[in-house]
């Protein structure tokens, strides 16, 4: 059992690995495990969708998590702009929510076929991102 107090008050020593094996690029079955929202300093809003990869035959992919950042556009009235959120529309179609009432948390547990692409940050770190979704 995890003892939060012990962890927070304890000390640790030694290096912690920063090595990361990227998910091989390709199409996988993914299940949404987490939804987060964030707002950038310039006011742009993003919904981050965390996908757990279900690929038992691909050792470097199975049970890994890839993130999909869905940029959101709002109307002047503060509602999601139905004409300018195509990536969100593709996501909702892939998980069967297009045309239905939904809340971001409703997407957790939903599955789709996802396309994973890797990108390199300026510091050399590699990130595995979801760049597309379609229904299973």
């Amino acid at each position: 059992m995890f003892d939060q107090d012990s962890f927070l008050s304890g000390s640790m020593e030694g290096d912690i690995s920063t090595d990361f094996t990227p998910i091989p690029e390709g199409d996988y079955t993914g299940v949404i495990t987490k939804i987060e929202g964030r707002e950038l300093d310039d006011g742009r809003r993003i919904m981050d969708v965390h996908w757990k990869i279900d690929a038992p035959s691909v050792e470097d992919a199975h049970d890994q998590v890839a993130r999909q950042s869905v940029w959101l556009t709002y109307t002047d009235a503060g509602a999601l702009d139905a004409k300018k959120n195509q990536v969100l529309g593709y996501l909702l179609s892939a998980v069967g929510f297009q045309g239905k009432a939904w809340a971001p948390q409703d997407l957790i547990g939903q599955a789709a076929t996802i396309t994973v692409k890797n990108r390199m940050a300026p510091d050399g770190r590699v990130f595995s991102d979801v760049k597309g979704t379609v229904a299973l």
Side-chain angles (χ1 to χ4, degrees), residues 17 21 33 37 51 59 69 72 74 84 95 102 117:
S17 176
T21 301
T33 58
W51 293 89
E59 183 178 328
S69 294
L72 303 172
Y74 287 81
K84 295 184 179 177
V95 297
W102 65 282
K117 299 283 185 185

Side-chain angles (χ1 to χ4, degrees), residues 49-72:
V49 181
H50 297 255
W51 293 89
K52 184 176 180 182
I53 307 292
D54 182 12
S57 64
V58 184
E59 183 178 328
D60 289 337
H62 186 64
D63 284 342
Q64 294 286 352
V65 176
R67 185 176 76 180
Q68 179 181 23
S69 294
V70 179
W71 294 81
L72 303 172

